[in-house]
């Protein structure tokens, strides 16, 4: 399965067009946005979540960077 990384995800509107891809990493610091995104896109619930982009030392391999 192909994977993607979503930086500054917000409510993750791009997840609507990626139903056949698995999130490898999501970066979003707003907790409200994270809760809404998980409710709208349950497949993102188990994705690794980082709240601060400064905490990312290296991005994992992925097929698409958003």
């Amino acid at each position: 399965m192909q994977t993607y990384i979503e930086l500054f995800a917000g409510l993750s509107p791009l997840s609507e067009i990626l139903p056949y891809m698995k999130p490898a990493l999501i970066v979003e610091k707003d907790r409200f946005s994270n809760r809404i995104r998980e409710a709208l896109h349950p497949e993102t619930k188990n994705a690794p979540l980082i709240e601060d982009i400064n905490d990312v030392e290296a991005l994992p391999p992925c097929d698409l960077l958003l």
Side-chain angles (χ1 to χ4, degrees):
M1 177 174 277
Q2 293 183 322
T3 60
Y4 66 92
I5 295 175
E6 194 164 4
L7 303 176
F8 317 108
L11 299 178
S12 199
L14 294 175
S15 293
E16 291 291 331
I17 62 172
L18 301 172
Y20 303 107
M21 297 183 82
K22 179 180 175 186
L25 178 69
I26 296 174
V27 179
E28 176 56 57
K29 70 178 181 178
D30 184 68
R31 293 180 185 184
F32 178 74
S33 291
N34 286 327
R35 290 193 342 220
I36 297 295
R37 179 189 28 71
E38 289 175 358
L40 293 174
H41 310 288
E43 69 280 359
T44 66
K45 194 172 210 170
N46 295 324
L49 174 67
I50 295 178
E51 292 184 356
D52 188 350
I53 190 67
N54 294 312
D55 293 339
V56 177
E57 291 183 20
L59 295 175
C62 70
D63 298 301
L64 182 62
L65 179 62
L66 304 169

